[in-house]
Amino acid sequence: MSCCGNKRAQWKREALGGPAPDAARAEPSGVEHEKERAPKRFQYIGESSLTLTGTFSRQTYYFETNGAVVEVDYQDSFAFRAERDLKPL
């Protein structure tokens, strides 16, 4: 059975509004890549204190009081965005 030349995958990307094949392969430059992976900062806006464990790093993060700002590992930051008492900075 011969290959369709990836036409089916290309049509599916176009139908879903996905990136062009060349754009999907493009790598960010070193500086852009480091900036994207830099630790993210979150501010606690809750009433008391909050302790969380990073889902990726397994590191413990402690927000002592309202207004506390903590740097969070880039990989953990995605789960932290789901916390209603944390505001990404």
Side-chain angles (χ1 to χ4, degrees), residues 30-51:
V31 174
E32 291 173 358
H33 187 65
E34 288 177 19
K35 185 177 179 182
E36 289 177 5
R37 296 245 188 220
K40 304 298 180 190
R41 296 174 59 200
F42 287 86
Q43 182 178 26
Y44 179 59
I45 55 174
E47 294 300 318
S48 58
S49 63
L50 177 67
T51 303

Side-chain angles (χ1 to χ4, degrees), residues 2-3 11 13 15 27 35 42 47 62 66 71 77:
S2 65
C3 180
W11 291 332
R13 270 193 307 273
E27 295 279 333
K35 185 177 179 182
F42 287 86
E47 294 300 318
Y62 181 64
N66 184 311
E71 277 195 352
S77 67

Side-chain angles (χ1 to χ4, degrees), residues 38-44 63 67-74 77 80-81 86-89:
K40 304 298 180 190
R41 296 174 59 200
F42 287 86
Q43 182 178 26
Y44 179 59
F63 297 86
V69 176
V70 174
E71 277 195 352
V72 175
D73 184 273
Y74 171 77
S77 67
F80 278 46
R81 290 180 184 273
L86 292 180
K87 180 174 82 170
L89 299 177

